[in-house]
Amino acid sequence: MTMRNHWWCAAIAAALLLTGCGGGAESNSGNGKAVALTKEQAQETLPDGEAMTGWKESHPPQAVEMDRTIRSTACPIKDNVGCENSRFYGASTFRQDDNAASATFLLVAYDSEQAARAAYDVLWDRYYGTRAGQRAKAFDIGPIGDERDARFGTSGYEGAPGAVTQARVGTVLLWTFANAADKAGLDEDRVRDLTTVLAERARQAQNGDTPSAALDG
């Protein structure tokens, strides 16, 4: 595991453990508009062990209510900009021992599509878009979500591959972080697959369905 990914896992675990559970308002799925997710829906959006064929669960899906501590993790920018009108933060992490690969999924659920749109560029340009390691370059992630960005780079002395994607699906911002020990463990197609699963699960949740999207075996 690279130092960068180790930091992410530690930050996620600490943020989730420091926060108690809470409920959420009911969503209005079925009205043809993007809806605010409940805490339960936000947690179900995150891929679990059943969704991640070929991966081992390191940290099970968990969503928590936003508070000061969580905002400093989700939006670590001055004054926590990008977290305005946010409701929940969630994460799940996975690993593959044979190629030392890891994947981390994050989400921030907002109270409206307008709030999620307003946060998108702020968080990508000022923080998340820089998390793909050295010499990171943008790549085409495909028609995922309502907005999307992706960068692929390297980290460490041996040039281990790493990637970050950000997508917006309605009222939710989504991130996928992935890295591996060498190029055989991670490429752009694999990052697309991971991001697609997360985005599709978010779409299913906003449609009022139980998220079921999963990686192909």
Side-chain angles (χ1 to χ4, degrees):
M1 178 181 291
T2 66
M3 287 300 295
R4 174 167 53 86
N5 192 65
H6 175 76
W7 180 90
W8 267 108
C9 292
I12 293 164
L16 295 178
L17 289 173
L18 283 170
T19 305
C21 297
E26 292 299 319
S27 63
N28 298 310
S29 58
N31 64 3
K33 299 180 180 179
V35 298
L37 298 185
T38 65
K39 176 176 171 288
E40 180 180 5
Q41 288 173 319
Q43 184 161 307
E44 290 177 343
T45 292
L46 295 161
D48 56 14
E50 292 184 3
M52 292 289 286
T53 304
W55 293 76
K56 296 180 180 179
E57 193 175 72
S58 301
H59 191 291
Q62 186 175 3
V64 295
E65 288 187 354
M66 277 291 184
D67 64 11
R68 182 177 298 178
T69 299
I70 299 303
R71 287 188 183 92
S72 67
T73 297
C75 305
I77 308 169
K78 184 178 179 181
D79 298 325
N80 302 137
V81 294
C83 273
E84 297 87 346
N85 301 307
S86 59
R87 308 176 71 217
F88 307 111
Y89 173 72
S92 62
T93 64
F94 300 84
R95 73 182 191 279
Q96 287 185 323
D97 295 335
D98 56 346
N99 54 23
S102 65
T104 296
F105 301 100
L106 305 179
L107 67 78
V108 174
Y110 294 83
D111 62 9
S112 69
E113 187 170 11
Q114 180 180 5
R117 283 199 306 265
Y120 187 94
D121 288 340
V122 172
L123 292 176
W124 180 254
D125 294 341
R126 297 177 61 180
Y127 186 68
Y128 288 98
T130 69
R131 301 292 95 189
Q134 302 172 359
R135 300 182 297 279
K137 296 182 179 180
F139 71 96
D140 184 8
I141 198 73
I144 295 174
D146 302 307
E147 299 179 76
R148 81 290 300 170
D149 282 282
R151 292 177 67 82
F152 199 102
T154 59
S155 63
Y157 294 106
E158 298 180 359
V164 57
T165 72
Q166 177 176 295
R168 181 179 65 82
V169 177
T171 61
V172 185
L173 293 189
L174 309 162
W175 295 272
T176 301
F177 295 87
N179 59 35
D182 54 48
K183 295 180 180 179
L186 186 68
D187 58 19
E188 292 180 2
D189 286 337
R190 201 173 202 202
V191 177
R192 288 189 190 96
D193 290 342
L194 294 169
T195 305
T196 297
V197 169
L198 179 60
E200 180 57 26
R201 291 176 71 89
R203 184 70 69 192
Q204 291 170 331
Q206 292 193 56
N207 287 341
D209 301 321
T210 299
S212 60
L215 289 174
D216 294 332

